[in-house]
Amino acid sequence: MFALRKAAALAAAGALALTGCAATPALERQAVLTGVSDLAQAAVVRGWGPVLAGDEFNYAGAPDPGKWNVFDGPGHAGKGIRSPNAFRVGGGVVTVSGNAAGTTGGMAATFANRKYGRWEARMKTSARDSQYHPVLLLWPNNNKSPTCAEVDYAEGTADTTQIKFNLHHACHGPNFQTRAARRIDTSRWHNYAVEWTPAGITGYLDGMLWFSDSAPAHQPTVGMHQTVQLDWFPTGAHTKPSQMQVDWIRVYR
């Protein structure tokens, strides 16, 4: 089922690319009406053209080592650990699991390490513990950025009914990031996208605009790459095992 759905979605994106036309207002309205569907992709609605790189997760086992560096070490802010064993690819998705002790996972893409581009991913979670935060983000290449750049284009919080877009553009201070938030059911599939051009950074949720920042001082000054993380933010309460699943990640020009 996953393979058939993905093939149809890729065919739709390819059809737009062949016409060379941007999406029509009618198609945008269709994306709004259909809600959570494969057609409600920013790439289709905005006419981004063919996929240049990514992962469809149409295999089984560990994440493809030719595409991903899987983390093996301390967890977010030194809490818990990130283990390669937290990842499993199967059934057309990659699953990241976090257990009651804070053993979880993260991985960084070795593809499309670049400045500017368009990324889109389809993600959902289990009925997760509020101490586990799923995040799809762009992270600086070589882990270096003079402005501590970070583009969290889908980040869960302790409020499990909410998803955020966080653009980090400074290393400290009261205004180190700009953000947007939406209340959605993250346990259902949603399509999250980020578009980074010299004009600024734009975020899309199920094909619809929900974030934009064109301030020159807020833009990353270095190349970035895709990262997938299920981060543990322990509060001292019991942690319920939780999962994050990604159906596909695609990069466009």
Side-chain angles (χ1 to χ4, degrees), residues 119-170:
W119 290 256
E120 188 159 27
R122 186 167 175 84
M123 183 260 288
K124 75 172 184 176
T125 70
S126 61
R128 64 182 173 87
D129 191 293
S130 62
Q131 297 169 96
Y132 271 118
H133 299 187
V135 59
L136 300 169
L137 68 150
L138 303 184
W139 184 255
N141 295 340
N142 302 315
N143 297 319
K144 294 180 180 179
S145 166
T147 59
C148 299
E150 180 179 337
V151 185
D152 305 314
Y153 67 94
E155 182 172 11
T157 70
D159 182 348
T160 59
T161 69
Q162 187 179 77
I163 199 78
K164 288 186 175 181
F165 191 116
N166 297 316
L167 170 59
H168 296 246
H169 53 76

Side-chain angles (χ1 to χ4, degrees), residues 203-225:
Y204 301 96
L205 174 55
D206 293 329
M208 294 176 286
L209 175 71
W210 74 302
F211 177 89
S212 182
D213 189 332
S214 58
H218 293 175
Q219 308 311 309
T221 60
V222 299
M224 310 280 277
H225 60 269

